[in-house]
């Protein structure tokens, strides 16, 4: 019977990873495709690579939260945890697949949290759910889209003031600065393990050096290919920045969302092999992280086009420059919440940032009805996943 549940959990985890990639590929490539900076085929391959790398390198931070930060696993019997986590994975995967067919950008993180809460209520009762932690996560769900709107709005306004001075070689200089900041943030946040001075200096130093090295590569690439015409040169620089920020977003999304399948799957595997629920410090096994990251990459390559139009074209019209601002804003926001270990919505960040860029040009530029519909489906998905998981788990453990 335990082998059967390992298979169920494994298939459920791969389904969640696959549909995560298929639905959320638009988070990183919707804006570049909508603005015409990348073709669909190139964008899918491009995103799958960076999603996989981000998941493997960065994915450990949020996975532990999903495993132990939502339900008090010590209040649940081992059999209950095995059944509950397995069912939560399967229900989440099936539900998000159905919603993806409607071309709605969905938050898989919110759905899996709903499933885990449902399993906790069924297997351990109300007291098994860590309500303060869940409340904090829900607050982050509400806050992140609005942060995305605020950051996207503010950065587009700032960008609009600065861009008139960005011509010729100044365009290349601005590109170098923005690229450097993007790379530095990614390296710095990954290495920052504690608030100690020693770790802070270590993280800053390697971040500065790593960013300098990669920025040198960026400069060499752009300077050799930049057109002579000033307007064309500026457009070329911002196109390269859009693609690099899209890579950062793909990396950030893989880092954040690889936890959706890997956290629950790790809980099932550890409980089956040890005979008891995970306690103390838990490390997500590297093969589980790789398995989950591969699932996300596969979903991008096979069905990643499903929601691209919704993100890239239907929320607000995007040029290369406005798409870059939205992508840059969202990628930095997602990197920060991922490093904090908060299972929030990467979709919320990019939808918010795109809406913020549109609002900076005027309310009439934003399809507010579509934005409201997307947000409504996020919270509906949480409720449906929680209810369905609760019902199935309660029925199975009562037999």
């Amino acid at each position: 019977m335990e082998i059967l549940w390992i298979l169920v959990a494994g298939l459920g985890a791969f389904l969640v990873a696959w549909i995560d990639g298929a639905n959320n590929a638009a988070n990183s490539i919707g804006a570049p495709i909508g603005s015409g900076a990348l073709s669909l085929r190139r964008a899918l391959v491009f995103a799958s690579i960076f999603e996989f790398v981000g998941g493997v390198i960065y994915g450990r931070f949020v996975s532990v939260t999903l495993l132990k930060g939502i339900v008090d696993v010590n209040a649940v019997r081992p059999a209950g945890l095995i059944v509950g986590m397995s069912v939560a994975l399967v229900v989440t995967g099936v539900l998000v697949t159905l919603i993806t067919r409607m071309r709605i950008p969905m938050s898989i993180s919110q759905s899996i949290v709903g499933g885990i809460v449902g399993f906790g209520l069924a297997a351990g009762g109300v007291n098994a759910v860590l309500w303060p932690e869940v409340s904090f996560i829900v607050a982050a769900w509400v806050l992140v889209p609005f942060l995305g709107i605020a950051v996207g709005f503010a950065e587009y306004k700032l960008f609009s003031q600065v861009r008139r001075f960005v011509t010729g070689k100044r365009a290349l200089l601005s590109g170098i600065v923005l690229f450097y900041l993007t790379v530095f943030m990614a390296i710095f946040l990954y290495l920052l393990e504690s608030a100690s001075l020693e770790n802070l200096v270590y993280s800053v130093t390697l971040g500065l050096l790593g960013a300098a090295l990669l920025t040198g590569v960026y400069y060499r690439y752009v300077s050799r290919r930049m057109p002579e015409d000033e307007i064309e040169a500026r457009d070329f620089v911002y196109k390269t920045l859009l693609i690099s920020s899209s890579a950062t977003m793909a990396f950030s999304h893989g880092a954040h969302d690889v936890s959706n399948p890997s956290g629950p799957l790790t809980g099932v595997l550890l409980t089956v092999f040890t005979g008891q629920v995970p306690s103390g410090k838990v490390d997500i096994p590297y093969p589980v992280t790789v398995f989950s990251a591969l699932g996300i990459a596969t979903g991008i390559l096979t069905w990643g086009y499903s929601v691209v139009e919704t993100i890239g074209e239907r929320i607000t019209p995007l040029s290369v420059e406005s798409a870059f601002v939205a992508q840059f804003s969202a990628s930095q926001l997602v990197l920060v919440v991922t490093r904090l270990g908060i299972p929030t919505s990467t979709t919320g960040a990019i939808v918010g940032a795109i809406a913020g860029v549109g609002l900076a040009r005027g309310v009439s530029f934003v399809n507010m009805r579509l934005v409201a519909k997307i947000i409504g489906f996020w919270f509906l998905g949480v409720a449906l996943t929680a209810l369905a998981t609760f019902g199935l788990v309660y029925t199975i453990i009562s037999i």
Side-chain angles (χ1 to χ4, degrees):
M1 184 61 73
E2 290 178 342
I3 297 298
L4 174 62
W5 282 112
I6 289 177
L7 291 174
V8 170
L11 290 173
F14 193 83
L15 175 61
V16 168
W18 178 79
I19 197 59
D20 196 322
N23 186 287
N24 284 184
N27 294 354
S28 57
I29 62 175
I33 291 175
S35 65
L38 280 175
S39 66
L40 177 61
R41 178 173 294 182
R42 286 185 176 182
L44 292 174
V45 174
F46 171 83
S48 65
I49 293 171
F50 281 94
E51 292 262 0
F52 176 79
V53 173
V56 171
I57 293 177
Y58 231 117
R60 59 196 172 97
F61 296 114
V62 182
S63 298
V64 175
T65 301
L66 287 177
L67 174 57
K68 299 181 64 179
I70 297 169
V71 170
D72 180 5
V73 293
N74 294 314
V76 179
R77 293 181 178 180
L81 186 141
I82 293 170
V83 172
M85 289 291 193
S86 301
V87 170
L89 286 166
V90 173
V91 168
T92 299
V94 171
L95 177 68
V96 177
T97 300
L98 294 175
I99 294 177
T100 302
R101 290 184 62 85
M102 300 168 64
R103 301 189 181 278
I104 298 293
M106 192 65 181
S107 173
I108 289 82
S109 298
Q110 292 181 200
S111 297
I112 192 66
V113 168
I116 293 173
V117 169
F119 125 67
L121 291 171
V126 175
N127 293 329
V129 179
L130 301 173
W131 293 112
E133 287 79 358
V134 172
S135 299
F136 177 75
I137 291 170
V138 172
W141 293 347
V142 176
L143 183 62
V144 164
F146 289 102
L147 281 176
I149 290 174
V151 174
F153 183 93
E155 290 196 1
Y156 186 79
K157 285 293 188 182
L158 176 63
F159 178 81
S160 299
Q161 296 298 316
V162 173
R163 70 186 293 272
R164 72 183 89 175
F165 303 107
V166 179
T167 57
K169 293 184 178 180
R170 290 179 182 175
L172 180 56
L173 178 61
S174 66
I176 291 171
V177 172
L178 290 168
F179 185 87
Y180 186 91
L181 288 174
T182 300
V183 176
F184 170 76
M185 282 285 290
I187 298 174
F188 170 72
L189 289 172
Y190 175 73
L191 295 174
L192 189 63
E193 297 281 357
S194 67
S196 68
L197 180 61
E198 181 181 357
N199 183 246
L200 181 63
V201 171
Y202 170 76
S203 302
V204 169
T205 302
L206 288 189
L208 293 172
L209 292 175
L213 177 63
L214 291 176
T215 302
V217 176
Y218 170 81
Y219 169 77
R220 185 171 183 179
Y221 173 85
V222 174
S223 61
R224 290 185 173 186
R225 291 166 175 80
M226 193 167 69
E228 293 293 332
D229 181 79
E230 290 191 355
I231 296 177
E232 290 182 2
R234 186 179 66 188
D235 290 342
F236 176 76
V237 169
Y238 284 119
K239 181 178 178 180
T240 62
L241 285 174
L242 172 57
I243 294 172
S244 64
S245 63
S246 177
T248 306
M249 187 64 191
F251 180 92
S252 304
H253 177 265
H256 183 279
D257 276 28
V258 77
S259 63
N260 294 331
S262 64
L265 179 58
T266 296
V268 172
L269 294 175
L270 291 179
T271 304
V272 168
F273 292 133
T274 65
Q276 57 187 8
V277 297
S279 60
K281 183 180 178 181
V282 176
D283 292 321
I284 305 299
Y286 190 68
V288 173
T289 301
V290 173
F291 173 77
S292 301
L294 280 173
I296 292 176
T298 303
I300 293 172
L301 291 171
T302 55
W303 204 22
Y305 57 85
S306 57
V307 188
V308 164
E309 182 184 358
T310 305
I311 292 283
E313 299 177 18
R314 293 178 58 198
I315 296 175
T316 190
L318 291 171
S319 64
V320 170
E321 294 176 357
S322 61
F324 159 68
V325 175
Q327 201 80 53
F328 179 79
S329 304
S331 63
Q332 300 307 306
L333 180 57
V334 172
L335 272 177
V336 172
V337 296
T338 299
R339 185 58 187 85
L340 293 174
I342 304 172
T344 187
S345 173
T346 56
T347 309
I350 188 63
V351 168
I354 290 175
V357 166
L359 288 171
R361 293 177 289 172
V363 177
S364 61
F365 283 87
V366 182
N367 187 342
M368 297 304 294
R369 180 176 295 182
L370 176 60
V371 173
K373 180 180 178 181
I374 291 170
I375 294 174
F377 265 93
W378 293 343
F379 288 95
L380 177 63
V382 175
L384 290 177
T385 308
L387 288 171
T389 303
F390 173 85
L392 287 171
V393 172
Y394 186 82
T395 300
I396 292 171
I397 63 178
S398 298
I399 297 176

